[in-house]
Amino acid sequence: MKDHIVLTGRRSSLVLERIANGAPLWRHWGERVTPGDLPPRDEQPLSFSPDVVVPLSTAPGFGLGGFGQPLFSAHRDGRDFSCGWDSIEVEANETQLVVHLIDSIARIGLEQRFLLDPVSDVLTISATLTNRGELPLALCSLAPAILPLPPSSKTIRSFTGRHNAEFQELREAMPAHGWFREERRGLTGHGGPAGLFVLGDGAGWHRGPVHAVQLAWSGNSRLSIECDGPGWTLAAGEWLAPGEVRLAAGEAFATPELLATYSPDGLNGASANFHQAIRSRAPWAGRGMTPRPVHLNSWEGLYFDQDEARLMALADRAAAIGVERFVLDDGWFRGRPDDRSGLGDWQVDRAKYPDGLKPLADHVRKLGMEFGLWVEPEMVNPDSDLYRAHPDWALHIAGRAMVTARNQLVLDMSRADVRDYLFDALDALLGELPIAYLKWDHNRHLATAGNADGGASYHAQVMGTYALIDRVRAAHPGVEIESCAGGGGRIDAGIATRVERFWASDNLDAVSRTAIQRGFLAFMPPEMMGAHVGASPSHATGRVQPIEFRAGVALCGHFGVELDPARLNDVDRNLLAGWIATYKTHRDRLHSGQTWLGEEPGLMWQAVGDPAHLILFVTVIDPPTDRLAPVRLPMLTGDGDISVRPISAADATSATYSASWLAGTGLPLPHMAAHSIAMFILKAA
Ligand code: DGJ
């Protein structure tokens, strides 16, 4: 029997060593290698250490002489707290490894799966733990795997965030002891998915070794890095609340999938791998994405100030500037004059829409646009008929006061009767109205997240929501869904298999958005990033910004409009219509190929496409005191010439440069003011 297992990707490899008395041992995760014979392991115990060395395996246990991060922790009423595997079966080929493990003393079984996609270089990892004992097993934590990080690792790039400030990038040195980020709010979180990038020696945007992970999960999570000399170990999994998972005899618990990747091509290489993996998980995978339509969403234009005439007039103005999908946001259902009531009662407000929403939807369609509708299915206001009829349907903890947020409570999605009610309500709307798109919102964190049995219900909440979305999608396969949670609070690879779009943030200020969008693009591809042109002054920040800047920043994603065009002057309205036309011309390129991010002193840039045809955005927030530095484009590795054409409302002339000049010296830029964006098309000449 060969003693090692090699999984080989495009630019990366995994090498593991089979051993007879435990899970396979990590020997390598990184640069593509052909291992030949494995070099011997150092089996010399360190001083003051157990006499038997316990090297890092895919499924490290606890309590038997290994002192690093364990894969899981569990007990049976205080016993069976340690774990060591004594039955090991391994199935492996060039891209897949399945490990079956049993601990016959603790009576625990584990199946771990590693699948390395040779195209994206993304490893999908999951684990399922089974209680093989007769007494219940309390599971306190379970990660899909514990991954090795090399001793040359230097920096952790992670993200934090809150409403209106999603994906704020943080860079920290590798920890001397440990590092962790826990999400206990029941949702993915405004800091983006449970994910991070670890930069190795000399790594930057375009070059150098980067290991990265993101958890495909829309609930609580835990990410941790621990020093395990001479390198580090990395774990990412679900954070479980006390007592949340208690497995009866024979019962199993599965982790969410963890996406992990290594790239020798810097942060952009790792993100490109993630983008490919997400594209292959997206709902349109296999049948092709249709061009992403230009949206107009009614929220910031009208808020709750709705009626049929106002909405029809807004639709007229949307169609006149080239909008293709008109979305009616919050406020259309009964008992919803503001955000204090009505959630849960998903019938149209006849005072605002006397004949229902059909006339508006038909009007929108006659104008040549698709009709979209906002819903927030998992929520209920205490002031609603639904809550009055079923107060027990809200998550609660007996004897404790309910915690409202935005005046609302959260429905218990683990209950089949709740899901049936919501399915029927959504099914009726989708059956009666020509709805092409649902904006699926979730405007609060979970607190008093208890179920009817008095247990914590975070995991079950996510599973219930996934089940509802899956059921709606199966019944209405033509309807697209956007995941929104107070802006970008639910953006992750778990829900990405169920939605076509993410609402990245309620903050439409183009300066704030630049940072938010760059963080989003670390994990998700641009075609899934809802990006709208908002009003000026910005509703979130009060900053005043020119329409060209706001529109240019929105062009970096799935473009839309979040204002009433009637409030624009004629010049700005025409400019906006021009940017909409520009988006339509270039969206195929903007939504396929690779995305590169970069920086030069005083500017940030984003390029999308491939070296033969790129679209380049250059953003200036604070201009430098001197001239702008040229933009070096390292993806232009060929010998030929490249024609460069600025895209702007005014006519622009092209110039031609050699690819090597653009890669090495850079594209010279015109003068750019603060808060401005320039766009260029680069094509192989
Ligand atoms: C939060 C979303 O992020 C907004 O876009 C809007 O849909 C509001 N909810 C409506 O209540």
Side-chain angles (χ1 to χ4, degrees):
M1 180 175 77
K2 211 170 68 175
D3 70 344
H4 57 276
I5 303 154
V6 184
L7 269 54
T8 309
R10 199 168 33 88
R11 305 287 304 277
S12 72
S13 302
L14 252 68
V15 183
L16 298 120
E17 180 180 342
R18 292 173 196 258
I19 53 167
N21 56 349
L25 303 181
W26 280 109
R27 299 301 302 270
H28 173 82
W29 174 39
E31 194 74 38
R32 195 173 199 267
V33 293
T34 315
D37 288 338
L38 285 184
R41 276 183 285 118
D42 180 358
E43 295 192 280
Q44 181 66 36
L46 295 176
S47 57
F48 201 78
S49 295
D51 292 333
V52 176
V53 176
V54 183
L56 181 67
S57 73
T58 60
F62 173 73
L64 302 179
F67 299 109
Q69 302 198 72
L71 186 82
F72 71 94
S73 91
H75 63 93
R76 272 191 200 82
D77 207 11
R79 303 181 70 89
D80 295 331
F81 68 94
S82 67
C83 172
W85 309 114
D86 49 57
S87 159
I88 296 106
E89 270 177 48
V90 173
E91 301 162 51
N93 58 32
E94 295 77 58
T95 55
Q96 192 167 340
L97 164 65
V98 186
V99 185
H100 306 271
L101 302 164
I102 296 175
D103 176 340
S104 58
I105 308 246
R107 284 150 297 153
I108 287 170
L110 185 85
E111 184 184 286
Q112 246 183 330
R113 291 184 169 266
F114 298 77
L115 179 65
L116 180 59
D117 173 17
V119 180
S120 67
D121 256 342
V122 169
L123 190 57
T124 302
I125 313 170
S126 59
T128 304
L129 184 142
T130 306
N131 178 12
R132 297 169 61 92
E134 267 148 37
L135 297 177
L137 182 81
L139 184 63
C140 310
S141 69
L142 172 65
I146 305 292
L147 299 168
L149 292 172
S152 52
S153 304
K154 291 283 177 269
T155 306
I156 302 171
R157 176 198 189 210
S158 70
F159 297 86
T160 183
R162 60 172 177 77
H163 182 231
N164 280 337
E166 290 81 349
F167 289 103
Q168 302 300 303
E169 185 185 296
L170 302 169
R171 297 220 185 182
E172 293 156 274
M174 294 304 286
H177 294 285
W179 178 102
F180 77 96
R181 172 187 137 181
E182 272 180 9
E183 180 55 67
R184 296 177 228 104
R185 294 174 170 83
L187 210 60
T188 319
H190 287 81
L196 53 74
F197 295 72
V198 174
L199 290 82
D201 237 351
W205 286 113
H206 315 296
R207 275 174 283 275
V210 172
H211 292 80
V213 294
Q214 60 170 311
L215 192 67
W217 184 240
S218 310
N220 289 331
S221 60
R222 183 168 212 274
L223 267 174
S224 57
I225 293 181
E226 200 171 283
C227 188
D228 195 352
W232 286 265
T233 57
L234 165 60
E238 194 178 346
W239 180 86
L240 299 175
E244 191 172 2
V245 182
R246 194 166 168 274
L247 299 176
E251 253 189 332
F253 182 83
T255 66
E257 289 179 331
L258 177 65
L259 308 187
T261 194
Y262 166 80
S263 174
D265 299 326
L267 294 169
N268 283 325
S271 290
N273 294 352
F274 277 154
H275 291 185
Q276 268 188 313
I278 298 293
R279 282 171 175 165
S280 69
R281 297 166 72 91
W284 52 61
R287 52 191 167 89
M289 178 187 77
T290 52
R292 303 293 72 217
V294 177
H295 282 207
L296 185 138
N297 187 66
S298 69
W299 182 241
E300 290 206 6
L302 299 180
Y303 292 104
F304 290 104
D305 197 9
Q306 303 185 3
D307 61 38
E308 189 180 277
R310 275 200 190 90
L311 265 295
M312 283 188 178
L314 183 64
D316 292 341
R317 294 192 283 273
I321 57 171
V323 167
E324 297 165 308
R325 182 183 276 163
F326 181 84
V327 184
L328 174 57
D329 208 287
D330 195 356
W332 57 267
F333 45 99
R334 67 189 168 81
R336 191 69 173 167
D338 51 40
D339 68 9
R340 284 192 287 264
S341 56
L343 288 172
D345 299 341
W346 298 108
Q347 296 88 32
V348 68
D349 183 343
R350 295 278 169 172
K352 295 176 182 169
Y353 303 94
D355 300 312
L357 289 177
K358 186 94 178 25
L360 173 63
D362 288 345
H363 182 75
V364 165
R365 283 170 40 102
K366 269 200 213 102
L367 290 165
M369 298 184 290
E370 292 179 1
F371 181 64
L373 193 64
W374 178 95
V375 288
E376 195 178 2
E378 295 136 281
M379 299 295 155
V380 66
N381 284 117
D383 185 0
S384 67
D385 288 349
L386 180 68
Y387 186 74
R388 281 183 281 274
H390 300 284
D392 54 322
W393 280 12
L395 288 170
H396 63 280
I397 302 175
R400 302 210 180 262
M402 305 281 247
V403 178
T404 52
R406 206 194 187 204
N407 313 301
Q408 61 200 55
L409 298 170
V410 186
L411 291 170
D412 181 350
M413 298 298 292
S414 71
R415 294 179 65 128
D417 49 3
V418 168
R419 293 197 303 271
D420 286 347
Y421 168 81
L422 293 172
F423 176 78
D424 289 346
L426 294 170
D427 187 51
L429 285 166
L430 295 170
E432 283 157 20
L433 298 166
I435 294 173
Y437 168 89
L438 286 178
K439 175 175 176 180
W440 190 302
D441 209 343
H442 183 296
N443 280 302
R444 60 161 296 174
H445 297 133
L446 308 192
T448 62
N451 58 26
D453 299 331
S457 200
Y458 297 95
H459 176 85
Q461 188 70 9
V462 177
M463 297 307 280
T465 298
Y466 285 172
L468 177 64
I469 300 178
D470 292 346
R471 191 169 164 198
V472 171
R473 289 200 72 102
H476 301 277
V479 176
E480 292 201 357
I481 300 182
E482 176 180 68
S483 170
C484 171
R490 188 153 62 182
I491 297 172
D492 62 79
I495 207 157
T497 60
R498 302 174 162 90
V499 301
E500 282 80 1
R501 193 181 204 251
F502 294 108
W503 183 224
S505 180
D506 280 344
N507 187 344
L508 299 172
D509 175 307
V511 172
S512 314
R513 271 273 170 169
T514 299
I516 293 167
Q517 295 186 170
R518 289 169 81 83
F520 178 102
L521 292 170
F523 299 102
M524 298 289 160
E527 63 272 22
M528 297 186 91
M529 180 169 75
H532 293 182
V533 181
S536 178
S538 155
H539 293 194
T541 65
R543 253 193 300 236
V544 173
Q545 292 156 344
I547 191 98
E548 295 90 334
F549 182 42
R550 288 177 277 145
V553 169
L555 242 79
C556 297
H558 176 177
F559 189 92
V561 176
E562 188 91 15
L563 51 75
D564 182 348
R567 303 225 183 110
L568 296 176
N569 62 36
D570 290 349
V571 174
D572 279 4
R573 200 167 36 255
N574 286 336
L575 284 170
L576 180 57
W579 283 104
I580 289 174
T582 301
Y583 167 77
K584 289 177 183 169
T585 308
H586 298 290
R587 65 182 151 194
D588 286 352
R589 178 79 351 197
L590 287 167
H591 295 163
S592 62
Q594 191 172 337
T595 298
W596 290 265
L597 302 181
E599 291 165 43
E600 299 285 359
L603 64 86
M604 286 169 279
W605 61 265
Q606 175 178 333
V608 190
D610 62 66
H613 180 178
L614 281 175
I615 297 188
L616 171 68
F617 297 92
V618 178
T619 307
V620 172
I621 306 292
D622 289 314
T625 46
D626 212 321
R627 289 171 202 285
L628 285 171
V631 174
R632 286 166 299 163
L633 298 166
M635 74 294 282
L636 298 176
T637 50
D639 293 330
D641 285 343
I642 305 283
S643 85
V644 182
R645 185 166 64 83
I647 311 176
S648 69
D651 273 354
T653 46
S654 339
T656 300
Y657 305 90
S658 74
S660 58
W661 181 273
L662 292 174
T665 297
L667 175 69
L669 294 170
H671 171 75
M672 289 176 68
H675 296 189
S676 65
I677 188 163
M679 261 180 86
F680 304 87
I681 302 178
L682 285 80
K683 281 193 176 163

